[in-house]
Amino acid sequence: MRILIVGGGGREHALAWAIAASPLTSKLYAAPGNAGIAAEAECMPIAADDSARLVAFAVERKIDFVVVGPEGPLANGLVDKLEGAGIKAFGPSAAAARIEASKSFAKDLCVKHGIPTARYRVFDSGQAAADYVSRENTPMVVKVDGLAAGKGVVVGSTTEETLEATYFFSTGMASRRLVIEERLEGPEVSAFALCDGKTALPFGFAQDHKRAFDGDQGPNTGGMGAYTPVPLVDAALEKRIHETILQRAVDAMAAEGHPFKGLLFAGLMLTRDGPKVLEFNARFGDPETQVLLPRLMSDILPALLAARDEVLKNFHLRWLKEAALTVVLAAKGYPGEYKKGSEIRGAEKLAGLDGVTLFHAGTKRDGTRLLSDGGRVLNVTALGATHAEARAKAYAAIDLIDWPEGFCRRDIGRTP
Ligand code: AMP
Ligand code: GLY
């Protein structure tokens, strides 16, 4: 089959790596890809959000199946446009991607269908939101309604901070709808399911590390590392999350007339009252995919096709017993301002390491030199018999990389 992967981050490198290994793949393209993806696929200089050119490319090159990585193109209807042009595509329709793109849509869906989530109110006026926060007089969480690349959430530690965030979002982001919700307490985990509109096939759990610095300090990022499986999630909790959250969300979307096909990613908090949804994402996680896929023993391509073709029922996936852990190397300054174009040396030394995979996130080549080309730049994933072993292997591999302009957290897998 001729496959096109849309996107150019670490998640897409992990997808390209897994799809390239499928005996069903005869030709693999990526748009735009990156320097690491270029080892697996032919990279085309087409932006992930340029849907007109992507559709034209897919038609012209007779692509059999397109796998869409990032949320933006999904929310903008890339899958609808590809399918409309007769090209099979993996990912939700724009209507179904609203489960991520609109927090108020997702919250309303949860309440209507009994999916556990924090109590909340939706406001179209900043003043009404501020009045509510003042009246409640307790620390709450303020969320901007649309896609905000992780920058649209403030967890207030006091009422004043909650109010400040309410004013900041309602004045800074003109006419934005706000969701104000109850502040939950507990460890966070991410749950994944491959969905075909009817069936939610469990796709594992991961623990993400969102803050930039060790000890969960510093600003929120897209994710600085992850590991899987998650020891906090035992078989009983897994079943409960599957039944009350993942499958229930898929049933809910179908009942609302927007069947969800693609990868459903639930951000959860394990509260004293059980698991509750913080958010849904309509796509693979980044860097969670970089730990999920190295544990997948089954060929990923038939699974993605079965999701698209609505035949996931009775589909089985096999997973390695080992733990997987990934550490993100980012450019100094990320998630704030950072420089692109600094040289990274030594990455080739990881090639022969047993159980270690280097996924590129933001890289490009200049001749034979490897240069940084983004905020999150490399992901080093290691498999190990235990989490500790995977962590030791990942950090030993990272220490072979010489990149003075980069940094990583040193405590991935140590903090909850
Ligand atoms: P979200 O984008 O909705 O997942 O929120 C980003 C982060 O904010 C989450 O990973 C949590 O750490 C935190 N958060 C979101 N909602 C809540 C909540 N209701 N209570 C406590 N923390 C939250
Ligand atoms: N790592 C979190 C995400 O992909 O949204």
Side-chain angles (χ1 to χ4, degrees):
M1 293 182 78
R2 299 167 59 78
I3 315 282
L4 167 65
I5 296 176
V6 175
R11 163 183 52 209
E12 288 78 19
H13 190 181
L15 285 164
W17 171 83
I19 290 171
S22 170
L24 296 175
T25 303
S26 58
K27 173 76 192 176
L28 184 58
Y29 292 99
N34 63 37
I37 295 174
E40 315 283 357
E42 185 176 340
C43 295
M44 306 308 300
I46 305 176
D49 58 6
D50 191 343
S51 52
R53 284 185 64 206
L54 288 169
V55 174
F57 176 82
V59 170
E60 182 195 316
R61 299 292 173 105
K62 300 192 164 47
I63 300 294
D64 297 303
F65 191 42
V66 180
V67 178
V68 183
E71 62 272 25
L74 293 169
N76 287 327
L78 179 56
V79 166
D80 311 68
K81 287 170 196 160
L82 287 162
E83 292 278 353
I87 310 274
K88 284 188 177 193
F90 176 83
S93 64
R98 276 198 301 161
I99 198 165
E100 170 169 7
S102 167
K103 290 192 186 287
S104 61
F105 173 83
K107 296 293 292 188
D108 293 347
L109 185 84
C110 286
V111 168
K112 185 167 170 197
H113 296 271
I115 300 164
T117 190
R119 285 196 309 275
Y120 72 105
R121 297 267 304 262
V122 179
F123 294 95
D124 282 311
S125 134
Q127 191 54 51
D131 289 347
Y132 172 70
V133 173
S134 302
R135 262 200 324 274
E136 293 288 308
N137 195 21
T138 181
M140 282 185 285
V141 181
V142 188
K143 299 185 177 183
V144 175
D145 195 36
L147 288 178
K151 297 194 175 78
V153 176
V154 169
V155 181
S157 46
T158 60
T159 304
E160 289 66 40
E161 227 179 87
T162 313
L163 262 180
E164 241 170 65
T166 306
Y167 283 125
F168 175 76
F169 283 147
S170 52
T171 52
M173 306 195 180
S175 77
R176 276 292 185 86
R177 174 175 286 191
L178 296 183
V179 174
I180 310 259
E181 67 179 42
E182 168 199 12
R183 193 178 148 177
L184 301 175
E185 304 282 349
E188 280 183 53
V189 304
S190 302
F192 303 87
L194 199 56
C195 306
D196 67 356
K198 300 183 289 274
T199 298
L201 181 70
F203 207 78
F205 292 84
Q207 181 82 56
D208 185 13
H209 296 64
K210 288 204 169 77
R211 301 295 192 107
F213 309 128
D214 285 14
D216 286 337
Q217 302 297 306
N220 254 326
T221 70
M224 294 299 291
Y227 61 85
T228 183
V230 182
L232 277 173
V233 183
D234 61 15
L237 183 56
E238 184 172 340
K239 184 163 180 281
R240 180 166 176 185
I241 291 170
H242 183 257
E243 285 171 2
T244 66
I245 294 174
L246 298 167
Q247 184 62 54
R248 202 170 281 177
V250 169
D251 293 342
M253 291 297 284
E256 295 295 324
H258 312 299
F260 186 93
K261 291 166 66 167
L263 201 285
L264 183 64
F265 163 173
L268 308 176
M269 197 164 259
L270 306 181
T271 73
R272 268 189 294 175
D273 302 329
K276 294 194 179 180
V277 173
L278 297 178
E279 65 166 351
F280 283 114
N281 293 312
R283 53 170 173 85
F284 281 97
D286 189 347
E288 291 84 347
T289 307
Q290 292 89 302
V291 288
L292 293 179
L293 297 191
R295 284 188 72 235
L296 180 62
M297 293 163 75
S298 310
D299 184 348
I300 191 172
L301 200 49
L304 301 180
L305 280 163
R308 149 58 178 80
D309 291 337
E310 302 176 18
V311 290
L312 271 185
K313 198 170 176 221
N314 302 326
F315 205 93
H316 290 286
L317 294 171
R318 290 186 309 126
W319 302 90
L320 289 174
K321 282 207 169 57
E322 279 94 334
L325 181 138
T326 195
V327 180
V328 173
L329 275 161
K332 282 182 183 164
Y334 173 80
E337 279 188 29
Y338 55 83
K339 279 191 295 195
K340 290 185 181 179
S342 56
E343 186 170 0
I344 303 160
R345 294 191 181 85
E348 68 287 349
K349 293 184 198 160
L350 277 61
L353 298 182
D354 185 38
V356 172
T357 313
L358 177 66
F359 294 117
H360 291 228
T363 59
K364 65 179 177 194
R365 292 250 178 228
D366 175 24
T368 57
R369 296 192 319 148
L370 182 64
L371 304 179
S372 72
D373 195 33
R376 292 189 293 174
V377 171
L378 293 172
N379 310 141
V380 176
T381 300
L383 291 167
T386 61
H387 290 80
E389 188 184 312
R391 182 169 64 229
K393 276 165 75 175
Y395 280 110
I398 278 203
D399 290 338
L400 299 174
I401 298 174
D402 174 17
W403 182 33
E405 295 304 312
F407 77 100
C408 66
R409 278 182 63 161
R410 285 276 156 190
D411 64 347
I412 300 304
R414 279 185 203 282
T415 51

